[in-house]
Amino acid sequence: MSGIKLYDKTFQLFLRSEFIQQTVKKMADRITLDLKDQNPVFISVLNGAFIFTADLMRHLHFNCHVSFVKLSTYRNDSSTGTYKELIGLNEDITGRTVVITEDIIDTGATITFILEKIKKNNPAEIRTAALFLKPEACRTDIHADYIGLEVPNDFIVGYGLDYNGLGRNFKDVYKIEN
Ligand code: IMP
Ligand code: MG
């Protein structure tokens, strides 16, 4: 499909599924090199990261755990937000290597909040894996170990990413038409 319509907005094809899959595989290869002997815990941030996390996991052929957290955001403006934990962490991660998996780092506020939360559970190490990063929107001090692709500062949907709940199910990624 070259374009989709969600509510009142139209979106144009931006990244094809095959390319996204190659990107995820490359991330998995790097994670494997670094962490294959560490039995890491992957902590996926719902809802957006569910497809990315599932595809990433299928490329990891070593022992690891996966768990999920879910936040709700109340945005004050583009850079700050208050978060509420809707699903918290129910694993003991003391002394473990943790990899947070996110769909996209935009301003970096969400990942910063999650990092602070996870740190309080005394893991040995925390790494972050984000499929997409928007460097133009992102604060410079963001800690990101594995980035799939840098994307322009445009709103995108598909492959887990949504516009008001719609669009997560598309296998390609689409960019908003201005
Ligand atoms: P941040 O807190 O500004 O880094 O934003 C991260 C969260 O905002 C991601 O987990 C996404 O849920 C959402 N988000 C940011 N940019 C986009 C986008 O272009 N499309 C869909 N969701 C986005
Ligand atoms: Mg998200």
Side-chain angles (χ1 to χ4, degrees), residues 12-97:
Q12 292 303 325
L13 182 62
F14 175 51
L15 302 167
R16 283 190 190 282
S17 165
E18 295 73 20
F19 181 69
I20 299 166
Q21 293 300 331
Q22 283 170 20
T23 303
V24 174
K25 169 78 167 63
K26 279 187 202 159
M27 293 178 81
D29 290 346
R30 282 163 44 214
I31 291 170
T32 300
L33 278 176
D34 292 349
L35 303 179
K36 65 179 182 317
D37 300 319
Q38 306 205 26
N39 189 7
V41 190
F42 289 83
I43 298 178
S44 175
V45 185
L46 296 172
N47 292 334
F50 79 114
I51 293 181
F52 164 55
T53 306
D55 283 346
L56 183 76
M57 298 298 293
R58 279 180 279 208
H59 290 297
L60 302 178
H61 311 291
F62 57 82
N63 286 347
C64 58
H65 286 86
V66 62
S67 194
F68 297 86
V69 294
K70 181 168 181 165
L71 305 176
S72 69
T73 320
Y74 306 95
R75 284 276 163 116
N76 305 320
D77 58 48
S78 61
S79 61
T80 59
T82 12
Y83 297 90
K84 199 173 125 198
E85 234 177 356
L86 297 179
I87 301 175
L89 193 64
N90 57 4
E91 318 273 314
D92 181 8
I93 58 164
T94 311
R96 301 284 302 273
T97 297

Side-chain angles (χ1 to χ4, degrees), residues 133-177:
L133 172 77
K134 290 182 180 172
E136 292 161 49
C138 188
R139 300 203 322 253
T140 50
D141 59 342
I142 296 306
H143 169 93
D145 300 283
Y146 307 102
I147 296 292
L149 282 172
E150 293 192 353
V151 294
N153 200 6
D154 297 310
F155 194 76
I156 56 175
V157 296
Y159 197 72
L161 290 108
D162 73 307
Y163 168 51
N164 286 346
L166 290 184
R168 297 192 196 277
N169 52 305
F170 294 98
K171 65 183 171 49
D172 303 312
V173 165
Y174 296 82
K175 185 154 95 177
I176 199 160
E177 203 169 65

